Structure formats: C-alpha cells, structure tokens
Amino acid sequence: MSIAVEVSAPGGRPPLGRAAAAALAAGVLRAEGVRDAVLSVTFVSRRAIAALNRRHLRRRGATDVIAFPFRGGSAGMPVVGDVYIAADVARAQAKRYGVPVREECARLVVHGTLHVLGHDHPEGAARTRSAMWKRQEALLRRLARRRA
C-alpha cells in the first residue's frame, strides 16, 4: 500500500511548487485515513479549466478547482483521482481575499483532494460554513505547520 501524488504544470511553473503540492495532497490523504492512492494534481490555465468545466460539469466559465474521483478506497481498492487547479484564478482569488498566492494554491490542493475523497459542499455563501470547508481549513493549518 502506498500513496503516489504526481504534480504537473504544462503551462509553466506553478505558484506553489510541485513538491509542496504533492506533500500537501499526500498529507490530506493520510489525514483522511487513506493508505493506498494514486492522485494527480495539474495546474492549468484559465482557458483549460473553463473547457474542463464546460465539457464535464456542463458549467460555463473558469473555476478555481475541479476534481475527478475515479475510484474510492473502499473494499481494498485504492483511491484514484485527478485534481485540476487554475493558477490564474487562484492568483485573482488570493488578491481578492488578501492572502499569498501560495496559500490560495495550497487551499485548492487540499480542497480538490477532499473532493476526490467524496467530500462536498453547498454552493454560494454556505460553502465557507460547510463541514468540508471547516475540515479543509483545519487540514491546511495543520499541514502548513509541518512544512514551516
């Protein structure tokens, strides 16, 4: 049993380093009790995520993160999934929320990984009050302390 996280950025260097993103995703998986997983995290352009959003979720426009779970760790099966993060959207959100872009990207890695594991949240203002959001922020704080 093992956890493998591959991070790529076909459009160039991501705001959050590949090693840091992989460590965060692996940390979330371990914290959630996953012992066997294959996960990819890909930093993409605004245009690429808008195309994924339209094609797979039937939604218009760019979003910050999209996650695709393919198998979930039940009955001895590994967790398998893909997480796509729009670096440009993360930069804009970081500016809007007054946080460093690396922190916002880290938040999106944690968020996407939780989605792969089956966590969900409501849309709109209730999103930041949801159990998933609270778990995300707690993991982000805990895992960031380990990296510091």
Side-chain angles (χ1 to χ4, degrees), residues 7-15 18 42-46 48 85 87-88 91:
V7 179
S8 63
R13 192 167 163 249
R18 290 177 177 91
T42 306
F43 288 88
V44 298
S45 68
R46 180 181 296 269
I85 298 169
D88 292 340
R91 281 185 190 92

Side-chain angles (χ1 to χ4, degrees), residues 21-87:
L24 268 173
V28 171
L29 293 167
R30 281 191 295 277
E32 293 295 298
V34 174
R35 296 181 56 197
D36 197 13
V38 177
L39 183 71
S40 74
V41 177
T42 306
F43 288 88
V44 298
S45 68
R46 180 181 296 269
R47 185 178 192 163
I49 207 149
L52 288 168
N53 205 17
R54 182 179 54 254
R55 184 178 313 124
H56 297 285
L57 301 177
R58 308 274 190 260
R59 296 180 184 157
R60 293 181 57 131
T63 188
D64 53 2
V65 60
I66 296 177
F68 298 103
F70 298 112
R71 283 200 308 239
S74 61
M77 298 294 289
V79 168
V80 179
D82 293 337
V83 175
Y84 295 90
I85 298 169

Side-chain angles (χ1 to χ4, degrees), residues 23 27 50-51 63 67 101-102 110 113 122 134:
T63 188
V101 68
R102 289 176 48 85
V110 173
T113 304
K134 291 174 184 171

